[in-house]
Amino acid sequence: MPVSPFRQHHRDDDALAIALAASDMSLGDQSPFLAFDDSNLYDNSLSDSSHMIFDFDDPMPYETKPLMSWDSQDYGLSSSVSYFPGSPESTSSQLDYGASHLPPHDRSFGSGMLGSYNDAPQQQMPEFNYSHWLTDPEIPLPPMSSAPIDIPFPPSHSSAASSFAAHSDNSSIFPDVSLFSPTTAHAALQPLPRSFSPGQDSVMGTMQSHTELSMSPSDPSLSPPMWAAQLWASSSPPQRPVHIDVSPIPRSPLADPAYDPHATQRPRTRTHSRRSFPPVSDMFQSASAPTMSPMHPPLSRSYSRRAESSSEHDDRDATVRKKKRSLVADEEDHRPVDKGTEAPSKSMLRPPKLAPSAWQLYFTDWIQRHQASNHKKLNVAQAAKEAGQEYARLSSEDKEPYRRRSQAAKEAREREHAAYMRTLTPEDIKRENAFRTAQRKAGKSRRGNIKDPNAPKKPLSAYFMFLQRIRSDPELVREVFGDETETTKQSVLAAAKWRSMTDDERKPFLAQAEQEKLEYEAARKMYEEGTTGYSSSINFSILPNSPINSIAFPSSSFLRPVKQEAAGSESESDADDGADRRHGRSLA
DNA sequence: ACAATGATTGTTTTC
DNA sequence: GAAAACAATCATTGT
């Protein structure tokens, strides 16, 4: 049944609070690569780059060493934090994440770890073999270079008044819309075409008055997403001016759950990128970043097996389950495309490797232990079998240290990966997706495209809004899905329900979708113009407390032959009567 | 192709 | 070859 809009206005605040909380949480996202600003970069505060996203166990970094001005410094650092899978004893010491990450440099070095496993002379730096696994969440972080922008909570007036205002206004295009989203509720106060910030000092105010700034939208009529509007609008009372030139990161924490004040202000263009962050670029260039330079053709052995697999090995038919691969001559490999616009023949991405699982940590320990006591070469398959059996026999407590190390590594890797993804320019992503698309079309891979984490998310369609609505309400779940728990079958049921609904019943969802689409378009436009620091990857409609949950749902009772057929009514306002009435009821 | 969902299935990771 | 993490898959509609 319809939910009172009264609740909803509190939800507006809730949504903001959630978003703030999310942004707050992301403060903990302490990847060193997020700490960039120019000063940091140039005064070699890379000191913390011990959270390596480099793949040191690859031969290449050594070969390319001369390209890296920071190498010696960082190598030293990395070794100091390199994690050594030592004995179980040393392992358990890892429980203390404080300083315990420092490896016992004694026998670990001597045994040469897995490096010596193959008698190859890669003792050059055996300790780097696992540095990419290294994760130490507690390595001291560099001082924050920029303070986060204070985002005030929305003023209380944004609550009750707005939706009522919208309701009393029948000329509104989407009469019901204010009920559905926090952004739309605010939109009621500040409709799209209007100047959305009362403060002259607001970011957008500044931008609009300096349209020639590279960071400002070229189209002054362009409105930001409503959430953004609210953001600055709500800062009115004690006006807290936010100038673009003051804040290096003109993005809204509210807007982006992944917001991180330490975050790199991601360069929008390649050239800008290279110019602004040479050390970073070099770093990524050498290890994790897309290989840009034609001087460095793809290596025969990639840095990352994962990356490699996404490129060179994508022709494994195993990855293609149902595609009937047309056996057309594979002509795409004949020309090593580097046109930029065309699909490259290889993936340029070098994301950080996966963190080792508890098992993997155990296994490397195992290998090392056996290597120390047994000079014969081990058969890896045999070793895995034996170690696997031993691992299976371990008690939960015995596994715990490994689990914890794995967990720490995983978290760090996650941060690294997120940081890495944020460093990708739209061009990088375009190129990679072109590659993946080509691979898919050739039947060589099924991997999906990657998404720009900085770009605004596509809005949900009306039907998906509808799905959200159902999933958000256990009662509706029961009503529509019955006992069906499989999501795919639920989709079928929901689709049937959707099809059975009248236009009037769909109206609120359509309106909501329409509204979010507008906001998305605005956000996208800003993003594409490179003006945005705020990219909302947040989708308000899916937040737990989203007002979408309050959309009146056409319950079975509602579906009974209702007289409100309003058949011929094609005008917006007429067609919305049903929804209005429903909300009206709940209001009364 | 992608938005959400989550159980299931297949792939990747280490040597 | 091991175990576990990761990622694709499915089913839907609308853009």
Side-chain angles (χ1 to χ4, degrees):
Chain A
M1 292 308 290
V3 178
S4 162
F6 285 107
R7 255 172 72 201
Q8 201 157 336
H9 301 298
H10 296 294
R11 285 178 167 175
D12 294 351
D13 291 357
D14 289 347
L16 288 168
I18 288 168
L20 283 169
S23 69
D24 209 22
M25 283 168 56
S26 72
L27 294 178
D29 183 349
Q30 300 284 29
S31 168
F33 298 107
L34 304 181
F36 297 142
D37 63 9
D38 287 311
S39 56
N40 255 359
L41 281 170
Y42 289 111
D43 73 347
N44 75 16
S45 340
L46 286 171
S47 56
D48 188 43
S49 40
S50 42
H51 297 175
M52 291 307 182
I53 60 175
F54 315 116
D55 188 359
F56 284 101
D57 77 347
D58 192 283
M60 195 50 190
Y62 310 132
E63 297 166 19
T64 56
K65 246 174 111 177
L67 296 173
M68 302 180 281
S69 56
W70 44 270
D71 53 2
S72 52
Q73 174 192 2
D74 268 358
Y75 278 165
L77 275 164
S78 72
S79 70
S80 75
V81 293
S82 280
Y83 144 69
F84 265 82
S87 62
E89 295 79 23
S90 72
T91 296
S92 42
S93 74
Q94 303 267 344
L95 282 171
D96 176 4
Y97 290 117
S100 62
H101 63 273
L102 294 172
H105 284 298
D106 44 28
R107 73 180 195 80
S108 300
F109 267 94
S111 59
M113 297 188 26
L114 299 180
S116 59
Y117 184 47
N118 328 316
D119 45 17
Q122 70 259 78
Q123 318 112 311
Q124 310 176 25
M125 296 187 182
E127 70 272 28
F128 294 131
N129 280 357
Y130 291 88
S131 54
H132 62 276
W133 281 4
L134 162 65
T135 60
D136 190 324
E138 297 199 6
I139 289 176
L141 296 155
M144 291 170 52
S145 51
S146 61
I149 303 172
D150 265 3
I151 302 302
F153 274 84
S156 50
H157 75 263
S158 72
S159 302
S162 55
S163 75
F164 286 104
H167 256 291
S168 60
D169 181 6
N170 280 339
S171 66
S172 165
I173 300 179
F174 304 117
D176 256 359
V177 152
S178 63
L179 293 172
F180 305 135
S181 121
T183 61
T184 50
H186 306 320
L189 286 176
Q190 302 177 40
L192 210 86
R194 253 172 53 188
S195 165
F196 64 96
S197 171
Q200 299 306 319
D201 281 330
S202 76
V203 169
M204 289 309 293
T206 304
M207 289 162 70
Q208 288 186 354
S209 55
H210 299 85
T211 48
E212 66 279 5
L213 281 177
S214 64
M215 296 195 62
S216 66
S218 57
D219 176 8
S221 70
L222 174 63
S223 293
M226 284 305 121
W227 48 260
Q230 177 58 29
L231 205 56
W232 288 290
S234 62
S235 65
S236 356
Q239 194 67 271
R240 178 116 188 228
V242 181
H243 289 286
I244 273 191
D245 10 342
V246 170
S247 166
I249 305 171
R251 64 157 52 179
S252 153
L254 203 171
D256 186 352
Y259 170 80
D260 188 331
H262 304 273
T264 302
Q265 180 181 359
R266 204 193 52 152
R268 308 242 76 77
T269 67
R270 170 63 57 192
T271 47
H272 182 227
S273 154
R274 294 297 174 232
R275 185 172 45 77
S276 297
F277 309 110
V280 187
S281 306
D282 286 351
M283 278 155 42
F284 288 123
Q285 179 86 44
S286 62
S288 296
T291 311
M292 294 308 301
S293 167
M295 314 258 299
H296 302 288
L299 308 158
S300 56
R301 187 209 184 289
S302 86
Y303 299 116
S304 154
R305 282 169 193 258
R306 178 167 285 268
E308 182 183 46
S309 70
S310 69
S311 52
E312 294 166 42
H313 293 337
D314 270 349
D315 51 345
R316 272 188 311 257
D317 287 341
T319 61
V320 184
R321 260 195 281 144
K322 66 176 175 191
K323 260 247 178 79
K324 298 270 199 278
R325 190 172 163 182
S326 58
L327 296 177
V328 221
D330 292 333
E331 53 196 316
E332 63 274 7
D333 282 345
H334 293 330
R335 39 187 175 134
V337 185
D338 55 347
K339 258 303 179 196
T341 49
E342 296 176 50
S345 55
K346 292 190 187 315
S347 172
M348 302 290 201
L349 299 189
R350 300 290 180 267
K353 288 183 179 178
L354 290 179
S357 66
W359 150 252
Q360 285 172 324
L361 292 174
Y362 178 85
F363 185 45
T364 51
D365 274 14
W366 192 95
I367 294 276
Q368 192 193 350
R369 267 186 277 129
H370 283 249
Q371 185 62 32
S373 61
N374 186 347
H375 284 64
K376 280 182 294 182
K377 272 195 179 182
L378 290 172
N379 175 301
V380 180
Q382 182 61 28
K385 203 168 192 175
E386 276 183 48
Q389 288 170 352
E390 285 181 26
Y391 184 75
R393 280 198 292 271
L394 287 185
S395 69
S396 187
E397 299 88 60
D398 289 339
K399 288 179 185 168
E400 187 58 22
Y402 296 100
R403 279 203 221 100
R404 294 191 65 162
R405 282 161 56 195
S406 175
Q407 183 60 28
K410 194 178 148 195
E411 285 163 12
R413 191 268 177 184
E414 217 163 278
R415 288 193 295 271
E416 288 173 7
H417 190 256
Y420 170 75
M421 293 305 287
R422 278 193 290 266
T423 65
L424 298 181
T425 66
E427 289 74 30
D428 294 334
I429 290 166
K430 238 176 250 168
R431 195 180 305 108
E432 174 67 12
N433 286 341
F435 164 74
R436 292 187 178 200
T437 300
Q439 293 292 107
R440 275 195 305 273
K441 281 185 180 158
K444 292 186 170 184
S445 165
R446 308 186 77 187
R447 303 185 77 200
N449 287 347
I450 53 171
K451 276 150 258 179
D452 184 346
N454 304 294
K457 267 193 162 187
K458 282 183 78 173
L460 300 188
S461 66
Y463 170 70
F464 268 63
M465 296 279 179
F466 171 74
L467 266 178
Q468 292 287 349
R469 175 75 183 93
I470 298 173
R471 288 167 174 159
S472 70
D473 188 333
E475 213 165 300
L476 292 176
V477 166
R478 207 159 39 76
E479 179 184 325
V480 180
F481 297 156
D483 292 331
E484 186 54 67
T485 51
E486 264 186 63
T487 51
T488 50
K489 290 177 181 163
Q490 287 178 340
S491 296
V492 178
L493 294 168
K497 174 86 173 173
W498 178 252
R499 280 192 296 267
S500 79
M501 286 163 63
T502 66
D503 283 352
D504 272 358
E505 289 162 352
R506 292 177 181 178
K507 209 78 185 183
F509 302 100
L510 292 167
Q512 171 73 0
E514 189 64 32
Q515 180 61 31
E516 297 214 354
K517 195 173 131 194
L518 287 176
E519 293 169 10
Y520 168 74
E521 283 307 325
R524 188 183 58 80
K525 211 166 174 183
M526 289 180 74
Y527 176 74
E528 281 175 4
E529 289 182 16
T531 58
T532 173
Y534 23 69
S535 53
S536 172
S537 18
I538 201 170
N539 184 334
F540 284 107
S541 67
I542 65 172
L543 289 175
N545 286 340
S546 165
I548 191 182
N549 301 339
S550 302
I551 293 185
F553 191 85
S555 64
S556 36
S557 60
F558 181 83
L559 286 177
R560 271 177 292 152
V562 197
K563 48 188 77 186
Q564 61 154 225
E565 219 53 85
S569 70
E570 220 28 79
S571 94
E572 294 277 352
S573 50
D574 279 352
D576 269 319
D577 278 357
D580 268 342
R581 241 178 267 131
R582 285 196 297 281
H583 285 293
R585 259 209 319 260
S586 68
L587 273 174

